[in-house]
């Protein structure tokens, strides 16, 4: 329980930590969709588009960790590198440019644009997967639809800093910096960003989903934490693992 000043009133805040993997980035990729075709591709893209919109998920390029990882390139002494290292650095710079204003940038922006198909639920029901891998993908999408139903919470609504202070040297990474859209979870840009996130967390803690409520004289119901964050993390891990290693 915390005692907090909300507006001009002191209020008790009761909070509950959910089971959630500490110091973990939840990144949903879209590169795998380039290997899909036809109806299953449209369904998958539309589902991801709706998922990130519902949960107000940003792209990795919107985080300070992307900027930090890009700045690190500027400190590399190019003259001290051998030929192979120079080629690797060139490829990394090229990939960063693609994330910033190239092909990958356009693909990420497209995910925040118009729908890929209408009546998604109907398309899911009528889809006939061409393989067991696509069948499993469709099952995961069907399961994921329950996480963006009209009566479902938004994962960022669980962003509560239980140890908040007015002035401190390092701010903990909020949830919005940990649940993101990316192009790939295996390319060097994402790996560098993960390294920057890990370095940042060494100086502080990372926020994980917390259910909370403020107790006031107007409070009329008991505090009952839901298990939505647990459902979210378990599904997210299954989905990303499948699309990364099976498609």
């Amino acid at each position: 329980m915390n005692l907090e000043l909300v507006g001009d009133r002191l209020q008790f805040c009761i909070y509950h930590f959910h089971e959630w993997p500490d110091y973990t980035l939840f990144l949903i990729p879209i590169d795998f969709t380039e290997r899909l075709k036809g109806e299953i591709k449209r369904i998958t893209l539309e589902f991801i588009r709706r998922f990130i919109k519902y949960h107000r998920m940003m792209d990795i390029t919107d985080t300070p960790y992307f900027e930090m990882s890009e700045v690190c390139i500027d400190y590399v002494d190019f003259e001290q590198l051998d030929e192979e290292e120079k080629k690797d650095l060139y490829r990394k710079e090229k990939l960063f440019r693609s994330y910033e204003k190239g092909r990958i940038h356009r693909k990420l922006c497209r995910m925040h644009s118009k729908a890929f198909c209408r009546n998604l639920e109907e398309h899911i029901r009528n889809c006939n997967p061409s393989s067991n891998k696509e069948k499993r993908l469709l099952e995961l999408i069907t399961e994921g639809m329950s996480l963006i139903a009209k009566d479902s919470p938004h994962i960022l609504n669980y962003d509560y800093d239980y140890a908040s202070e007015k002035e401190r040297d390092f701010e903990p990474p909020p949830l919005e910096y940990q649940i993101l859209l990316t192009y790939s979870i295996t390319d060097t840009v994402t790996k560098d960003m993960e390294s920057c996130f890990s370095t940042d967390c060494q100086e502080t803690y990372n926020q994980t989903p917390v259910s909370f409520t403020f107790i006031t004289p107007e409070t009329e119901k008991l505090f009952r934490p839901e298990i939505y964050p647990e459902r979210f993390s378990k599904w997210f891990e299954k989905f990303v693992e499948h699309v990364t290693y099976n498609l």
Side-chain angles (χ1 to χ4, degrees):
M1 179 180 295
N2 278 341
L3 180 62
E4 297 193 6
L5 182 64
V6 181
D8 59 350
R9 301 174 64 183
L10 282 175
Q11 296 185 17
F12 287 101
C13 180
I14 299 178
Y15 61 92
H16 165 78
F17 290 105
H18 290 274
E19 292 184 12
W20 187 271
D22 283 326
Y23 307 106
T24 300
L25 288 175
F26 283 72
L27 305 175
I28 190 165
I30 58 172
D31 60 336
F32 75 95
T33 61
E34 297 174 2
R35 298 185 288 274
L36 301 176
K37 296 181 180 180
E39 183 74 348
I40 190 66
K41 180 174 183 175
R42 288 190 293 272
I43 289 173
T44 304
L45 286 170
E46 176 60 14
F47 167 74
I48 295 176
R49 189 191 72 86
R50 293 190 184 191
F51 191 87
I52 63 175
K53 180 180 180 181
Y54 187 86
H55 291 291
R56 307 188 296 274
M57 291 168 57
M58 301 187 300
D59 303 342
I60 66 168
T61 56
D62 297 320
T63 69
Y65 304 114
F66 180 84
E67 297 177 8
M68 291 165 60
S69 56
E70 186 176 22
V71 167
C72 289
I73 295 179
D74 298 332
Y75 289 93
V76 176
D77 189 347
F78 189 78
E79 298 301 325
Q80 298 296 320
L81 303 179
D82 60 32
E83 289 303 316
E84 191 60 36
E85 289 172 332
K86 289 179 180 178
K87 291 180 181 179
D88 287 341
L89 183 62
Y90 173 76
R91 286 192 289 266
K92 184 180 293 187
E93 290 177 332
K94 185 177 180 181
L95 189 59
F96 267 104
R97 288 197 298 271
S98 185
Y99 266 92
E100 288 184 315
K101 55 185 178 182
R103 184 180 70 90
I104 292 177
H105 171 75
R106 293 190 293 272
K107 286 184 174 293
L108 293 175
C109 288
R110 177 64 182 87
M111 299 306 296
H112 298 280
S113 184
K114 62 182 180 180
F116 291 90
C117 65
R118 303 292 181 182
N119 301 317
L120 178 59
E121 294 82 356
E122 182 178 347
H123 281 275
I124 292 174
R125 288 194 299 268
N126 296 333
C127 182
N128 186 21
S130 62
S131 66
N132 288 333
K133 293 178 180 180
E134 289 188 359
K135 180 180 179 182
R136 177 55 179 161
L137 172 61
L138 196 63
E139 291 173 351
L140 288 167
I141 290 174
T142 302
E143 182 181 346
M145 290 292 286
S146 66
L147 298 173
I148 57 174
K150 291 183 179 180
D151 58 345
S152 294
H154 304 273
I155 193 63
L156 294 186
N157 289 352
Y158 294 87
D159 193 6
Y160 174 72
D161 187 358
Y162 73 98
S164 177
E165 299 177 12
K166 286 188 176 180
E167 296 182 7
R168 52 187 172 192
D169 295 332
F170 298 95
E171 292 291 332
L175 276 183
E176 65 177 350
Y177 290 170
Q178 302 177 55
I179 306 172
L180 302 161
L181 173 71
T182 188
Y183 176 70
S184 168
I185 65 170
T186 57
D187 65 28
T188 55
V189 168
T190 302
K191 293 300 181 184
D192 284 359
M193 196 205 78
E194 289 175 337
S195 296
C196 290
F197 168 76
S198 298
T199 300
D200 205 26
C201 287
Q202 291 178 13
E203 306 294 340
T204 180
Y205 57 94
N206 76 306
Q207 292 180 214
T208 60
V210 173
S211 286
F212 62 97
T213 187
F214 290 97
I215 304 300
T216 71
E218 292 80 26
T219 301
E220 296 180 347
K221 60 181 181 180
L222 295 174
F223 176 52
R224 299 182 185 277
E226 301 173 345
I227 61 169
Y228 183 82
E230 286 83 353
R231 290 175 51 214
F232 183 98
S233 65
K234 290 177 181 178
W235 174 86
F236 204 106
E237 290 176 348
K238 288 188 297 184
F239 182 82
V240 173
E241 180 180 5
H242 180 71
V243 302
T244 302
Y245 300 108
N246 295 287
L247 296 171

